[in-house]
Amino acid sequence: MSKRMTLAEAIAEHVRDGDRVAMGVHLEALIPFAAGLEMVRQGKKELTLIGPISDMLFDLLIGAGCVKRVIAAWVGNVSAGLGHNYRRAVEQGVPHPIVVEDHSNFTIQLALLAGAYGLPYVPARTVLGSDILRVSPALSTAPSPLDGKPTVIVPPLEPDVAILAVQRSDEEGNVHVWGNLGVAVEAGLASRKIIVLAEEVVPRDIIRSDPNRVLWPSWKVAAVVEVPGGCHPSPVPGYYNRDHDFFHQYHEESRTREGFLNWLERWVYGLPAREAYLEALGERWASLRARRSAPSVPVDYGY
Amino acid sequence: MAYTPQEWMVVAAAREIRDGEVVFVGMRLPLLAFAVAKCRHAPRAVGLFENGVIRDTPPAELLYTMGDNPNIHQAVSCTSMLTVMGLLQRGEVDAGFIGGAEVDRFGNLNTSYIGPPERPRVKLPGSGGGVDIACLAKRLLIIMPHEKKRFVERVSFITSPGYGDGPGWRERHGLPRGGPDVIISTLGVFRFDPRTREAYLASYRPGVTPEEVCAHTGWALRVAPDCEPGPVPTEEELALVRRFDPDGFWTRPRA
């Protein structure tokens, strides 16, 4: 059964106001920016964003007023610096106050792991002694029942929806992803449903030829959306490189609230179609495309 | 050969990585220092990156983030964060390498909040994997630009624990191992007194004086009796820094 939809349809139908949404789960690569910008255009409200490090995606969703709560390890602009919208929201309540639930990368992964495998909690030895333990409503410590040593108790996280960027998918949502995986496996399995944002939708035979590369069972996938260039300005291995300048320009322009609103006007409201957005990048987009091919040697599943 | 304070810092930091070590490489400056060490004196070092990448060769190009495609190409393994964090938690990582916004005399790092968390004056980005590396690596290497407001008597928020308030603190909190080994800044190299767990100035960048370093540090900094000028970068080291950072993105002086 085909689950193909347009991006606007998928976001309208499967991301509801108030949802807990996992995004940016590969860390700095494969960030589903096109989906985030569509959430802004549709005026989503009261979202809880879940992800370890989402580069500037969480910052712009916060600035656009879509977010009530952030469950993350790091929010900012990885190569440029602090997240100005994140700062304005937390420090001044602009455009409105948000709740921050601090995690580390590892604890957010373990929370998703508990969610993914139906575990009541996961014990860990990280964040001991950190003030993250003091301020986080989710994390606590208890003596280990085995040896009495201090143990961090990480409760499960189960997002309503995970928006997961992949290189290719069939129309049912069986996907191939390569490159670093970050917390993608756990985030997909822990979520009630998945929106797949694919560079390409391909025939199912291509996916079936290499089942080791499939991360989640397709019954979890609610929508398959083909958006070439959908992760720009983040990189997609084999397709395009990171647009560092775009991150740095955003950093400068979002320094003031007015500058950020202008940025939204130009890149989000002014360019609703992804093709037009990529065209507006001009020659830069062509220069970001993978310059040389580096294919792997096929594996043989013969019997 | 002339060099910037940032280039000196990267060279000094790279020298802290030993050949054959398993190094957990944090975001930003550690990416550059690791690449330099790999090319020069630590060809057998292996880098773990929190996004799940394991690499034993330097990347072909400058990295702005560990998720850049050149860090994926020809990696040893592209796996999940769980694999690399699991290796870290098991105690298989020799050195963790991170930057920070604020550090104190016991090597505690704050990358979360300036001012009270409920009403901060500045909201910093947060831990990322910093706290995991600080808690679980066998030894912690810290690299950060030196400013008085960043080198403080006591961080107001411990994101990534160093030695807490001194001897015994890590043990009391149940941390299984580790602690800061060194802080490398644009002004000098700081090591930790095994008795007091306090950072002291071990060496300084050629051209500055210990007095200047103390004046730019927010606590009564102790200076080692044998404190001397730190390494002078070789031409080979500077060439490597410039190969991986050709436009000085990480190493040109900032306003």
Side-chain angles (χ1 to χ4, degrees), chain A residues 91 102 104 109 126 131 291, chain B residues 61 82 113 123 128 132 158:
Chain A
E91 296 165 20
D102 288 291
S104 77
Q109 171 147 54
T126 189
D131 284 329
R291 291 183 295 274
Chain B
E61 296 177 14
L82 195 57
Y113 300 94
K123 179 68 191 91
D132 307 311
I158 297 180

Side-chain angles (χ1 to χ4, degrees), chain B residues 165-246:
Chain B
D165 59 10
W169 184 92
R170 286 180 75 90
E171 293 77 4
R172 280 201 304 283
H173 281 86
L175 289 167
R177 68 185 78 84
D181 187 48
V182 65
I183 306 168
I184 305 111
S185 82
T186 39
L187 292 183
V189 174
F190 306 74
R191 300 199 185 271
F192 290 82
D193 184 327
R195 200 173 41 82
T196 63
R197 300 301 200 187
E198 190 180 315
Y200 63 88
L201 185 66
S203 62
Y204 48 90
R205 175 164 57 85
V208 303
T209 63
E211 292 71 30
E212 282 174 66
V213 184
C214 291
H216 286 89
T217 300
W219 70 85
L221 178 66
R222 288 179 47 238
V223 176
D226 59 352
C227 183
E228 54 180 26
V232 176
T234 64
E235 284 193 20
E236 181 201 7
E237 285 171 314
L238 289 173
L240 284 170
V241 172
R242 288 164 195 175
R243 180 176 127 200
F244 288 112
D245 189 17

Side-chain angles (χ1 to χ4, degrees), chain A residues 196-210:
Chain A
V196 167
L197 189 76
E199 286 296 322
E200 295 180 74
V201 173
V202 297
R204 127 191 217 159
D205 289 351
I206 291 180
I207 304 295
R208 292 270 162 135
S209 76
D210 193 1

